Amino acid sequence: MNEVKKTAVLALCVLSSVLVSCASVKSAALNSASTALSGADKKGIPVKKDISDSDSMLALTGESDVTLVSDFFPTALELYEIMHRTNPNHLGLTAMTGSLNVMYANAFIQTPAEELTNAEFDRQQAEYERAKLHYLRGRGYCLDALDGRHKGFKAAVLGTDPSAADTAIAALDKKDVNTAYWACAGWLGAFSLDPLNPDMLGSLHSPAAILEKVAALDPDYGGGAAWDILCNFYVSAPADFGGNYERGIYCYEQALRASGGKTPGPYVTYAESVCIPSGDEAGFVEALNKALAVNPDDNPSSRLMTTISQRRARRLLEHKSDYFLHW
């Protein structure tokens, strides 16, 4: 039995035991289980780990068999949902449940849907709606967790007053970085699938501002993950809604710096968001080849996302003629 299956079975056993007995266990025991599952305590503060501590999530994030993880992920997600409903005031668990919804939407709903053909248009649109549902659910959980640490945060950033949002965002600290990142990943993921939605357009200032705060608090977070999303947003959004091409290129450079060129994500973002709109075929091919040159084993903890990004890079190269016309 490989490591993912072992972890899956262990997680199911542990969670089932907790859930079956949760009516009789003390609140402290439930909170302890929630903290262990989320990596953050009841107040949403990340738990410091000893160097010797193992990370069970590595069985998922470090896996290179995407199909294996995609088959198990819905079960893991639903178990976290159940745990969250059992212990809704545990901010660490709330944030983790939110981040898992966003991961699921991106890696296992939207990405496969993008590979469907024109003949499967109706199915593709249905999958995009599913992805949007989980993106927004994930955003909601993460914003709830941030609101638990900073009262009024959720209403401020979802509102249409940029100054009120900026005041709320200024209160974020380094303990909020992970939760804030996933809130925005879900937010902008949903926006990418429904860019004309007036509710999201009215508060679009907030996710960019939150990600800028994340990048300021922890410039190297996730190997440049915040910079990568910011690059995509700034070069893709109209100027009236916060787009800023020069800032986007700067964010791309920062993503490369933070990742050390060892993650394919920034290269794929550059190829799609910068090279295609500008008609830069040579830059497109160069960026995607750099993405494919990344060795997934150089960073075992992100092997899954590297594999998924490289699959996307190959698909883009295979369909290069769809993006660049030769007369």
Side-chain angles (χ1 to χ4, degrees):
M1 187 182 294
N2 65 34
E3 287 304 310
V4 171
K5 289 184 178 179
K6 288 179 181 177
T7 301
V9 172
L10 178 60
L12 285 169
C13 291
V14 172
L15 284 173
S16 296
S17 175
V18 170
L19 292 172
V20 168
S21 60
C22 66
S24 60
V25 299
K26 295 180 180 180
S27 177
L30 185 57
N31 282 331
S32 178
S34 298
T35 297
L37 287 168
S38 63
D41 66 18
K42 184 176 181 179
K43 296 182 179 180
I45 299 174
V47 175
K48 292 183 178 180
K49 294 183 178 181
D50 294 329
I51 296 177
S52 60
D53 289 346
S54 61
D55 185 355
S56 60
M57 287 299 290
L58 281 175
L60 297 178
T61 62
E63 178 58 59
S64 58
D65 186 340
V66 177
T67 301
L68 179 64
V69 179
S70 67
D71 288 344
F72 171 66
F73 208 98
T75 301
L77 177 59
E78 195 58 27
L79 287 168
Y80 271 88
E81 291 277 4
I82 293 170
M83 280 293 293
H84 169 64
R85 292 173 190 173
T86 304
N87 195 13
N89 295 322
H90 192 288
L91 300 185
L93 184 63
T94 301
M96 185 63 175
T97 306
S99 69
L100 289 174
N101 270 280
V102 177
M103 291 180 206
Y104 180 57
N106 181 262
F108 304 119
I109 305 179
Q110 182 179 351
T111 296
E114 291 173 341
E115 299 176 2
L116 297 176
T117 65
N118 291 336
E120 300 171 289
F121 177 81
D122 289 342
R123 180 186 168 197
Q124 184 182 64
Q125 295 305 305
E127 289 299 285
Y128 284 162
E129 283 300 313
R130 285 188 63 230
K132 179 183 170 186
L133 180 152
H134 284 282
Y135 276 136
L136 292 178
R137 182 181 296 173
R139 178 190 72 168
Y141 284 142
C142 290
L143 291 182
D144 285 343
L146 292 171
D147 199 68
R149 285 182 38 78
H150 309 281
K151 188 173 179 59
F153 181 87
K154 184 175 184 178
V157 299
L158 288 176
T160 56
D161 182 354
S163 62
D166 288 341
T167 299
I169 293 166
L172 296 177
D173 58 44
K174 201 162 185 177
K175 299 182 184 69
D176 301 309
V177 162
N178 189 60
T179 305
Y181 167 80
W182 286 108
C184 295
W187 200 327
L188 293 177
F191 174 71
S192 72
L193 296 174
D194 191 8
L196 299 181
N197 186 309
D199 291 334
M200 281 189 279
L201 281 172
S203 59
L204 200 55
H205 165 84
S206 291
I210 294 171
L211 283 171
E212 288 282 8
K213 181 69 172 181
V214 167
L217 288 168
D218 189 352
D220 295 334
Y221 169 79
W227 293 115
D228 190 22
I229 297 181
L230 282 170
C231 168
N232 190 24
F233 172 77
Y234 282 131
V235 301
S236 303
D240 290 345
F241 294 101
N244 184 328
Y245 186 84
E246 290 73 19
R247 180 66 180 171
I249 297 301
Y250 172 80
C251 291
Y252 167 67
E253 293 169 348
Q254 290 302 304
L256 288 183
R257 178 200 58 75
S259 68
K262 294 183 178 180
T263 60
Y267 295 123
V268 176
T269 295
Y270 184 80
E272 286 191 284
S273 301
V274 177
C275 296
I276 292 177
S278 65
D280 182 4
E281 183 176 357
F284 175 86
V285 172
E286 180 184 8
L288 294 178
N289 281 331
K290 287 181 178 179
L292 293 173
V294 172
N295 184 352
D297 294 329
D298 285 346
N299 190 354
S301 65
S302 62
R303 193 181 286 118
L304 176 67
M305 291 312 300
T306 295
T307 303
I308 292 173
S309 292
Q310 289 182 329
R311 177 185 291 184
R312 185 182 189 88
R314 290 188 187 93
R315 180 171 61 84
L316 287 167
L317 280 173
E318 290 169 359
H319 292 269
K320 182 181 67 169
S321 60
D322 294 344
Y323 310 113
F324 303 96
L325 301 178
H326 296 280
W327 300 97

